[in-house]
Amino acid sequence: MGKVFLVGAGPGDPELLTVRALRILKSAEVVVYDRLVSDEVLRIAAHALLIDGGKRQGEQDRIQDYINQTLLCHARAGRTVVRLKAGDPMVFGRGAEEWEYLLAHDVEVEIVPGISSALAVPSLAGIPLTCRGIAASFAVIAGHREHFIRTDWSQYARIDTLIILMGVENREYIAESLIRAGRPSSHPVAFVENGTTDRERVVETTLSEVASGMAEVQAPAIFVIGEVVRLRSRLAPAQLAGARVS
Ligand SMILES: C[S@@+](CC[C@H](N)C(=O)[O-])C[C@H]1O[C@@H](n2cnc3c(N)ncnc32)[C@H](O)[C@@H]1O
């Protein structure tokens, strides 16, 4: 029986891989990767059998079954298998579900954490998640519909910095819900598209402008709300030209 490494690929830039992830990728025989894993990171494992495990809208469950079976089949054949996920495998990555499935089939699993885009993408764009005197709390939340069904938005109205993943499509709804729950409509917002890659683009705006449909953004992006966004003009002034929508 082989072994499956559940590895975090970090936010995109290969220099943000951990030393352990790099070592394991170099010795992998099979790599099953997600849609958001960058080409630069995949190139490190070019010697391995590379299998696209990217999920498309509406096909997630079918593809998840295919991924589980593929991991199992290669592990049973005695191969060193890497399940490579963007960011950290345990942050909105279905890492726990795959871990459980493999354990239930007696496959050894090793977790290799990665740097989550939720933390690294804002900070590299000049937006710290906390800052003394400005923000002492943050939360990372999922911006997709399934999550909204059981969401009490008032709990997020009081958190200093909100980081929303997978929230581009529903950005207007999210912004409206937060304003309704008591978050000031003037609160600064940033979207960081394709963070840490050469396609990175930052859009700075406000919650009210997002609610009224004025923020033009493409996925994948990190949606950050909070006073810390204002720090970007001091911490990353060189990146600012042409990025504001307001
Ligand atoms: C399914 S979640 C996976 C999160 C991942 N496990 C992590 O820890 O970063 C996918 C979402 O992560 C965010 N994301 C991941 N990488 C990103 C990047 N390089 N730039 C901007 N957003 C990114 C986007 O919000 C995207 O919709």
Side-chain angles (χ1 to χ4, degrees):
M1 186 68 103
K3 180 170 174 179
V4 176
F5 294 86
L6 276 178
V7 178
D13 181 341
E15 294 210 337
L16 294 174
L17 277 169
T18 64
V19 175
R20 187 177 296 177
L22 183 63
R23 175 173 54 76
I24 291 166
L25 273 178
K26 284 182 173 169
S27 64
E29 293 172 275
V30 179
V31 176
V32 182
Y33 62 93
D34 272 354
R35 193 173 47 89
L36 285 179
V37 173
S38 69
D39 292 344
E40 292 89 335
V41 169
L42 276 183
R43 271 199 283 277
I44 295 167
H47 59 277
L49 172 62
L50 297 176
I51 299 173
D52 180 358
K55 302 187 190 84
R56 280 129 207 117
Q57 203 71 23
E59 295 187 324
Q60 285 96 333
D61 288 337
R62 189 183 61 74
I63 292 175
Q64 190 62 57
D65 288 345
Y66 163 74
I67 292 169
N68 290 347
Q69 281 159 27
T70 303
L71 295 173
L72 188 58
C73 157
H74 286 289
R76 282 186 168 156
R79 300 187 182 110
T80 302
V81 183
V82 168
R83 174 67 176 116
L84 189 61
K85 290 169 178 285
D88 182 89
M90 300 300 152
V91 177
F92 301 127
R94 295 181 84 158
E97 289 165 55
E98 292 176 16
W99 189 358
E100 208 170 8
Y101 175 87
L102 292 164
L103 287 183
H105 291 81
D106 299 318
V107 176
E108 191 185 346
V109 176
E110 183 174 325
I111 306 302
V112 182
I115 300 180
S116 178
S117 63
L119 308 183
V121 166
S123 75
L124 287 168
I127 305 167
L129 301 187
T130 65
C131 182
R132 196 157 50 91
I134 297 176
S137 61
F138 69 84
V140 180
I141 63 177
H144 50 58
R145 290 237 167 245
E146 292 147 55
H147 172 66
F148 299 157
I149 297 163
R150 43 202 159 76
T151 295
D152 169 8
W153 289 98
S154 62
Q155 66 187 317
Y156 300 127
R158 291 185 296 275
I159 289 167
D160 296 326
T161 308
L162 277 184
I163 301 116
I164 302 163
L165 269 57
M166 302 170 283
V168 169
E169 196 180 329
N170 299 313
R171 59 193 181 281
E172 291 174 34
Y173 177 87
I174 294 168
E176 271 169 31
S177 304
L178 286 166
I179 293 169
R180 245 184 282 121
R183 200 155 181 117
S185 61
S186 59
H187 255 190
V189 167
F191 291 91
V192 187
E193 292 174 2
N194 292 300
T196 85
T197 72
D198 54 11
R199 287 160 291 124
E200 176 170 310
R201 190 178 80 106
V202 183
V203 173
E204 274 191 51
T205 179
T206 60
L207 208 50
S208 63
E209 286 182 342
V210 180
S212 54
M214 288 168 69
E216 290 294 327
V217 191
Q218 300 293 320
I222 302 286
F223 180 178
V224 190
I225 305 166
E227 291 296 337
V228 286
V229 170
R230 293 191 208 281
L231 293 172
R232 187 165 175 260
S233 59
R234 298 202 328 247
L235 297 175
Q239 299 176 20
L240 282 174
R244 290 173 188 274
V245 293
S246 58

